[in-house]
Amino acid sequence: MKAKITLKDIARELEVSISTVSKALKNSEEISRDTKEKVQAFAKLYNYKPNNIAISLKNKRTKNIGVVIPAIVHHFFTTVIRGIEKYANAHGYNVIVCLSEESFDKEVINMEMLANGSIDGFIMSLSSETQQKGDYNHLKEVTEQGIPVVLFDRITNEIDCDKVVIDDQFGAYMATKKLIDQGRRKIALITTDDYLSVSKARTEGYRKAFEESDIEINESRILKLSTMGIVDEERIQEFFDSNEVDAVLCVNEIFTVYSMRLVQEKGLNIPNDISFIGFTDGKLSKYANPSLTVVAQHGEKMGEIAAQMLIDKVESEKEEESFQTKILEPTLVIRNSTIN
Amino acid sequence: MKAKITLKDIARELEVSISTVSKALKNSEEISRDTKEKVQAFAKLYNYKPNNIAISLKNKRTKNIGVVIPAIVHHFFTTVIRGIEKYANAHGYNVIVCLSEESFDKEVINMEMLANGSIDGFIMSLSSETQQKGDYNHLKEVTEQGIPVVLFDRITNEIDCDKVVIDDQFGAYMATKKLIDQGRRKIALITTDDYLSVSKARTEGYRKAFEESDIEINESRILKLSTMGIVDEERIQEFFDSNEVDAVLCVNEIFTVYSMRLVQEKGLNIPNDISFIGFTDGKLSKYANPSLTVVAQHGEKMGEIAAQMLIDKVESEKEEESFQTKILEPTLVIRNSTIN
DNA sequence: TTGTACGCGTTATCAC
DNA sequence: GTGATAACGCGTACAA
């Protein structure tokens, strides 16, 4: 086992000073060609690599990005991570991923762990419990310390920082409008409780489409499910048993596939008897039967933008307090769960 | 903006020495009750938290685990990460995730980045390009430096380290056997090239089941697809056009859903005309139509075990060179793509 | 009971 | 052209 070699080791072996070695390795003009060659050859031979930790301590920069998300088994978050990784790695940053598992406490603990020097900035999406409580003190503390934060998807207006979202309201509006245009009138909305920022916006888009078309909304056609734990299949069953519905807009993939299966078991044909539109263009949607028309959220793009915003902030010397919110346009991907 | 406070700051404010502060905060017996209370109160007020980087440099321990995987949009890897996170966080470790995207070069670069002090050990699954090349020098270098490595799923025998896998051969054997027992004889295998360790083992299991039942294998019923890039839908189409098949075993979820859709489009009924068994108990399988019978790989469990093995090694003082390979039993999850 | 000094590995400044 | 020294933030053996 050949342990890592340090500047000190090289200096000792070559009988020069540590600073000479350091300079020689950076090809400093101060050092003679002779010494430089000797040092560089030795360093290469023993595969010298500077210790990241020491550099971090010195520079007060870790080149690590902390990513805190509610869950990783959701395809959307997975694509965002991929986008973050892509941009971050290309710029010499590593990504530390922490999962809050939709828990406020875990979110707080993870952030505290990372905030003590482990990372240069945060990219995060709020846990549903956090949004429910409306307690953002852990975010405030971090930003007050001067650590840059970029929020994506599940955001809050209580915190001044950069943000990236898709236009959720418009996405839902667009989807609902399409269903209305195709002659559907009994359009159900399956969503979560309103404390989730994205669900709220999507519900607004749904309402807006109805208003514009001068159609009354039947409130009983809006079903709100919990994001935590297992999907409440029984409530979905009840919902379809007690409501007449000819189209469904769902705020996520899971709700959609569950619902589609239930109505198919009732003998309904998709899309003829009942149309479906979901959110998130993930694998579940793509490979569903019939394949699902969705409002695509462009997770990877979102991740790249978030990473770019964060790294820009981290690397900008100036302490300007200007924050921006980037709003990406969602796209309607037409597949076979809607007509034509 | 209140910047992070250090021991030095506290010492200056309270007009004591840094070491006194340090000791006081650790409740050292050496320090008077008076001073301790004063220091602790001040620290709490200004929310003092020790700097992780400084501690890492001092202890030569980062409390970070490096995870290098080929892809994150595969549900299996996602569940493994979740298992790793779970165990690691519970033991005070953070997880740095790096994606090789199935590329040898990226795998090497990522490992080098992390190996220079950023992490205490690696958990990884090899990229397909790495397994294809059979070049494991980057792993050798790391282990020779004394950095513990745990390989999971896609492993190699060329490297001495801890490993976690499921018994892929047995999983495939079990699945094939079941199909044979149900009277299927024209069982296709859709797999990847043999350089992927897991695919190789699964192919062996498939063969073993046939041998045991004294049935000749029709080699044209084995389809090998590339893992890189987009799934070659055309080759799957051709395969089903030119082969008579009454059951299919696929080595991953994606291959399975693609194939299922193709045969359904040809008008075949699953499971009556043709049965399907896949690998990986992910969402695609669960929500497929019909829901898919699978060999479950227990990714989360695998992640937890890998994390446990790694942290044990990291925290054990002794330098014993004893490595173990944990083999998890796969489970057959029966759903509706096979008969009853 | 408190403080001094040193080391972790690196870099930057300044003196020789 | 080279080297000594200080500094990043912390912990600790040892001295006072």
Side-chain angles (χ1 to χ4, degrees):
Chain A
M1 177 181 123
K2 41 178 184 184
K4 284 248 91 156
I5 193 175
T6 70
L7 288 185
K8 192 197 268 187
D9 298 327
I10 302 181
R12 188 172 4 87
E13 288 307 313
L14 264 38
E15 299 186 302
V16 291
S17 78
I18 294 180
S19 34
T20 304
V21 177
S22 175
K23 285 172 190 162
L25 289 176
K26 323 203 91 178
N27 243 320
S28 161
E29 292 305 324
E30 303 178 26
I31 306 294
S32 71
R33 164 186 299 271
D34 229 39
T35 317
K36 275 198 283 199
E37 278 175 3
K38 202 173 55 175
V39 171
Q40 287 172 5
F42 190 93
K44 185 157 192 181
L45 180 62
Y46 285 92
N47 194 27
Y48 168 80
K49 293 278 166 50
N51 180 315
N52 290 333
I53 298 293
I55 292 179
S56 294
L57 182 59
K58 183 121 246 295
N59 297 346
K60 302 185 157 211
R61 288 279 233 49
T62 61
K63 288 262 180 181
N64 286 157
I65 291 177
V67 175
V68 184
I69 53 174
I72 197 172
V73 286
H74 278 18
H75 189 263
F76 168 68
F77 286 116
T78 265
T79 57
V80 176
I81 292 190
R82 196 182 186 197
I84 296 175
E85 275 276 346
K86 200 168 150 190
Y87 190 91
N89 279 0
H91 291 74
Y93 284 75
N94 286 314
V95 175
I96 300 186
V97 176
C98 284
L99 309 179
S100 63
E101 307 279 8
E102 304 288 10
S103 144
F104 175 79
D105 290 340
K106 277 202 183 182
E107 189 173 292
V108 173
I109 290 173
N110 279 323
M111 285 195 71
E112 282 181 353
M113 266 183 92
L114 296 179
N116 300 318
S118 299
I119 50 90
D120 295 337
F122 284 103
I123 295 177
M124 60 184 299
S125 190
L126 300 166
S127 82
S128 57
E129 207 189 342
T130 305
Q131 290 206 318
Q132 185 176 14
K133 291 180 79 156
D135 182 347
Y136 306 108
N137 283 314
H138 51 308
L139 289 174
K140 282 215 180 76
E141 286 200 4
V142 161
T143 51
E144 276 174 9
Q145 278 172 35
I147 302 178
V149 173
V150 176
L151 284 176
F152 73 90
D153 195 55
R154 302 211 205 140
I155 66 175
T156 174
N157 291 325
E158 307 260 321
I159 299 292
D160 278 337
C161 65
D162 288 328
K163 288 155 198 164
V164 200
V165 287
I166 60 155
D167 190 337
D168 283 291
Q169 187 185 329
F170 179 68
Y173 166 82
M174 189 164 55
T176 311
K177 194 89 171 63
K178 180 177 181 67
L179 294 169
I180 291 174
D181 288 350
Q182 293 185 337
R184 307 290 165 147
R185 288 297 176 272
K186 301 165 192 162
I187 305 171
L189 172 68
I190 302 185
T191 178
T192 71
D193 280 315
D194 273 350
Y195 55 76
L196 264 197
S197 54
V198 291
S199 299
K200 193 170 166 219
R202 290 171 195 172
T203 304
E204 285 162 7
Y206 167 84
R207 289 184 186 281
K208 195 174 151 205
F210 275 90
E211 278 161 25
E212 255 190 41
S213 312
D214 268 330
I215 308 178
E216 194 92 18
I217 289 185
N218 181 337
E219 296 293 335
S220 68
R221 290 213 184 92
I222 299 181
L223 174 62
K224 295 184 181 179
L225 299 171
S226 167
T227 48
M228 290 174 241
I230 296 294
V231 177
D232 191 343
E233 219 163 332
E234 256 180 55
R235 282 195 58 204
I236 305 183
Q237 180 84 56
E238 264 176 48
F239 178 78
F240 282 107
D241 283 347
S242 59
N243 281 283
E244 219 182 321
V245 165
D246 61 11
V248 183
L249 175 64
C250 295
V251 299
N252 65 38
E253 279 193 304
I254 306 279
F255 289 176
T256 323
V257 283
Y258 263 110
S259 308
M260 278 176 62
R261 183 180 295 176
L262 282 181
V263 306
Q264 282 176 324
E265 280 170 5
K266 287 169 72 87
L268 297 179
N269 174 279
I270 305 171
N272 294 328
D273 302 329
I274 183 168
S275 296
F276 272 86
I277 299 185
F279 261 81
T280 304
D281 186 22
K283 282 189 208 153
L284 278 181
S285 311
K286 200 166 165 191
Y287 299 119
N289 196 342
S291 61
L292 188 62
T293 294
V294 291
V295 182
Q297 291 184 82
H298 307 293
E300 189 162 339
K301 187 83 197 154
M302 221 156 143
E304 283 180 54
I305 291 177
Q308 183 179 7
M309 289 172 103
L310 184 69
I311 292 177
D312 279 355
K313 268 281 187 304
V314 166
E315 300 192 340
S316 83
E317 312 299 322
K318 38 196 164 171
E319 256 206 47
E320 20 104 28
E321 292 271 315
S322 75
F323 300 115
Q324 48 178 327
T325 298
K326 283 238 172 101
I327 300 175
L328 306 187
E329 285 297 297
T331 317
L332 206 52
V333 179
I334 308 292
R335 297 212 187 86
N336 299 322
S337 66
T338 48
I339 294 171
N340 87 20
Chain B
M1 178 180 121
K2 43 176 183 184
K4 283 247 91 153
I5 194 174
T6 70
L7 287 186
K8 191 198 268 185
D9 299 327
I10 302 182
R12 188 172 4 86
E13 288 307 312
L14 262 40
E15 300 187 302
V16 290
S17 80
I18 295 178
S19 50
T20 303
V21 177
S22 174
K23 287 171 189 163
L25 289 175
K26 323 204 87 179
N27 242 320
S28 162
E29 292 305 325
E30 302 178 23
I31 306 295
S32 71
R33 162 185 300 271
D34 229 39
T35 318
K36 276 199 283 199
E37 278 174 4
K38 202 173 54 175
V39 171
Q40 287 172 5
F42 190 92
K44 184 157 192 181
L45 180 62
Y46 286 92
N47 193 28
Y48 169 80
K49 294 276 165 51
N51 180 314
N52 290 334
I53 298 293
I55 292 178
S56 294
L57 183 58
K58 180 130 250 291
N59 298 346
K60 302 188 157 207
R61 288 278 233 51
T62 61
K63 288 263 179 180
N64 285 157
I65 291 177
V67 175
V68 184
I69 53 174
I72 197 171
V73 286
H74 278 18
H75 189 262
F76 168 68
F77 286 115
T78 265
T79 57
V80 175
I81 292 190
R82 196 183 186 195
I84 295 175
E85 274 278 344
K86 200 168 151 190
Y87 189 92
N89 280 359
H91 290 73
Y93 283 76
N94 287 313
V95 176
I96 300 186
V97 176
C98 284
L99 308 179
S100 64
E101 309 277 7
E102 304 288 11
S103 143
F104 174 80
D105 289 340
K106 277 203 183 180
E107 188 173 292
V108 173
I109 290 172
N110 279 323
M111 285 195 73
E112 282 181 353
M113 265 183 95
L114 296 179
N116 300 320
S118 300
I119 49 89
D120 295 337
F122 284 104
I123 295 178
M124 59 183 300
S125 190
L126 301 167
S127 81
S128 57
E129 207 188 342
T130 305
Q131 291 206 317
Q132 185 176 15
K133 291 180 77 156
D135 183 345
Y136 305 109
N137 283 314
H138 51 308
L139 289 173
K140 282 215 180 76
E141 285 199 6
V142 161
T143 51
E144 275 175 9
Q145 278 172 34
I147 303 178
V149 172
V150 177
L151 285 175
F152 73 90
D153 195 56
R154 302 210 205 143
I155 66 174
T156 173
N157 290 324
E158 307 260 321
I159 299 291
D160 278 336
C161 66
D162 287 328
K163 287 155 198 165
V164 200
V165 286
I166 59 155
D167 191 337
D168 283 291
Q169 188 185 328
F170 179 67
Y173 165 82
M174 190 164 55
T176 311
K177 194 90 171 59
K178 180 178 179 68
L179 294 169
I180 291 175
D181 288 350
Q182 293 186 335
R184 307 289 165 146
R185 288 297 177 270
K186 302 165 190 161
I187 306 171
L189 172 68
I190 302 186
T191 179
T192 71
D193 281 314
D194 273 350
Y195 55 75
L196 265 197
S197 55
V198 290
S199 299
K200 194 169 165 221
R202 290 171 195 171
T203 304
E204 284 162 7
Y206 167 84
R207 288 181 186 283
K208 195 175 151 202
F210 275 89
E211 278 161 24
E212 256 191 41
S213 312
D214 267 332
I215 307 178
E216 194 93 19
I217 289 185
N218 180 338
E219 296 293 336
S220 69
R221 290 213 184 91
I222 299 180
L223 174 63
K224 295 184 182 179
L225 299 171
S226 167
T227 48
M228 291 172 241
I230 297 294
V231 177
D232 191 344
E233 219 163 332
E234 256 180 54
R235 281 195 58 206
I236 305 183
Q237 181 83 56
E238 265 175 48
F239 177 78
F240 282 106
D241 283 347
S242 57
N243 280 283
E244 218 184 320
V245 164
D246 60 11
V248 183
L249 175 64
C250 294
V251 299
N252 66 38
E253 278 194 304
I254 308 278
F255 289 178
T256 322
V257 283
Y258 263 111
S259 308
M260 277 175 63
R261 182 180 293 177
L262 283 182
V263 305
Q264 282 176 326
E265 280 169 5
K266 286 169 72 85
L268 297 178
N269 175 278
I270 304 173
N272 293 327
D273 301 330
I274 183 167
S275 296
F276 272 87
I277 299 185
F279 261 81
T280 304
D281 186 21
K283 282 189 207 152
L284 278 181
S285 311
K286 200 166 165 191
Y287 299 120
N289 196 344
S291 62
L292 187 62
T293 295
V294 291
V295 182
Q297 290 184 83
H298 307 293
E300 188 162 340
K301 188 82 197 154
M302 222 157 144
E304 283 180 54
I305 291 177
Q308 184 180 6
M309 289 172 104
L310 184 69
I311 292 177
D312 279 356
K313 267 282 187 303
V314 166
E315 298 192 341
S316 83
E317 312 298 324
K318 39 196 164 165
E319 256 205 46
E320 20 104 27
E321 292 270 316
S322 76
F323 300 115
Q324 48 178 328
T325 298
K326 284 240 171 100
I327 300 175
L328 306 187
E329 285 297 298
T331 317
L332 206 52
V333 180
I334 308 291
R335 296 212 187 87
N336 300 321
S337 65
T338 47
I339 294 173
N340 81 25

